[in-house]
């Protein structure tokens, strides 16, 4: 059990990638803190009796973030792992992008990542001299947005999503450089087209990928698991693209 007795906070744990991460972590012996705006009942039903703490609220709210981390520390004593997974994806193009949608994606994808990272590191991970932080970014933050099949309007992930995920990558690298001295690693997993609620109703053309299919939540969770283990202690500031090879060329 690679995460035996470790405590992991996972945002966006009610479904999709966050749910898959929570289930895998529980199977590996972790105590999982399930963070979401919506009920995590379905995820809890998949944990097979593993220990968990459910924290429901808005991850963009600094007070909720602090309260979640404090509840975790009070119950379990330490926080070993943070997975910043929760996200939103607007598909409006530049012409139609609204300030409301821009703020939503930036606040959910980037601001919340900053808030949770700050809250778990100071003082918890820093005092413990150990921590694993994994941020879910996207190949959209690298290449400017995955284009869906047929190039239909509003199929491509929008500029707010791409900008927020690019920001997550930059933040990952900054944090890695800052916190390595304390035994804390920070890495990012960048999914390509993956079957989740965010991609529901969007048809992606995967024929230009080396692996001609969309990814699933477990494909991403497998990469998150590696970055979260003790064995990954010499790996930091990395962005692992889990995208079926679409980024090759």
């Amino acid at each position: 059990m690679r995460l035996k007795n470790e405590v992991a906070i996972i945002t966006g744990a009610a479904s999709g990638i966050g749910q898959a991460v929570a289930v895998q972590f529980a199977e590996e012996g972790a105590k999982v803190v399930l963070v979401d705006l919506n009920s995590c009942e379905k995820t809890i039903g998949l944990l097979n009796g593993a220990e968990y703490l459910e924290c429901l609220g808005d991850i963009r709210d600094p007070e909720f973030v602090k309260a979640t981390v404090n509840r975790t520390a009070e119950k379990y004593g330490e926080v070993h792992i943070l997975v910043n997974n929760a996200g939103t994806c607007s598909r409006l193009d530049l012409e139609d992008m609204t300030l409301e949608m821009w703020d939503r994606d930036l606040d959910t994808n980037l601001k919340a990542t900053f808030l949770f990272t700050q809250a778990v590191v100071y003082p918890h991970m820093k005092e413990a001299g150990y921590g694993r932080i994994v941020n879910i970014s996207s190949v959209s933050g690298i290449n400017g947005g995955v284009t869906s099949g047929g190039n239909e309007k509003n199929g491509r992930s929008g500029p707010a999503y791409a900008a927020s995920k690019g920001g997550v990558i930059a933040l990952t690298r900054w944090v890695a450089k800052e916190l390595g001295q304390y035994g804390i690693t920070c890495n990012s997993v960048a999914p390509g087209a993956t079957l989740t609620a965010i991609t529901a109703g969007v048809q992606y053309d995967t024929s230009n990928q080396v692996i001609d299919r969309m990814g699933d939540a477990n494909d991403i969770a497998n990469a998150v698991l590696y970055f979260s283990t003790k064995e990954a202690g010499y790996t930091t500031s990395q962005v692992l693209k889990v995208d079926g090879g679409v980024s090759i060329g």
Side-chain angles (χ1 to χ4, degrees), residues 72-89:
T72 302
E74 287 170 5
K75 182 168 183 177
Y76 297 120
E78 291 184 316
V79 183
H80 303 99
I81 302 165
L82 168 66
V83 180
N84 287 304
N85 162 74
T88 57
C89 177

Side-chain angles (χ1 to χ4, degrees), residues 71-113:
R71 281 185 64 192
T72 302
E74 287 170 5
K75 182 168 183 177
Y76 297 120
E78 291 184 316
V79 183
H80 303 99
I81 302 165
L82 168 66
V83 180
N84 287 304
N85 162 74
T88 57
C89 177
S90 60
R91 297 187 182 276
L92 300 174
D93 60 21
L94 184 61
E95 181 179 8
D96 298 326
M97 175 59 61
T98 66
L99 184 59
E100 179 184 6
M101 287 293 99
W102 177 271
D103 287 344
R104 186 197 69 166
D105 283 1
L106 266 292
D107 286 352
T108 306
N109 301 340
L110 183 54
K111 175 184 172 182
T113 296

Side-chain angles (χ1 to χ4, degrees), residues 28 37 80 114 149 188 218 244:
E28 294 289 344
L37 191 62
H80 303 99
F114 153 70
S188 179
N218 281 313

Side-chain angles (χ1 to χ4, degrees), residues 13 15 63 70 79 88-89 108 127 131 139 153 175 205 208 249:
S15 62
E63 296 306 314
N70 287 339
V79 183
T88 57
C89 177
T108 306
E127 288 188 353
V139 294
K153 186 177 178 64
V175 168
D205 180 6
N208 62 335

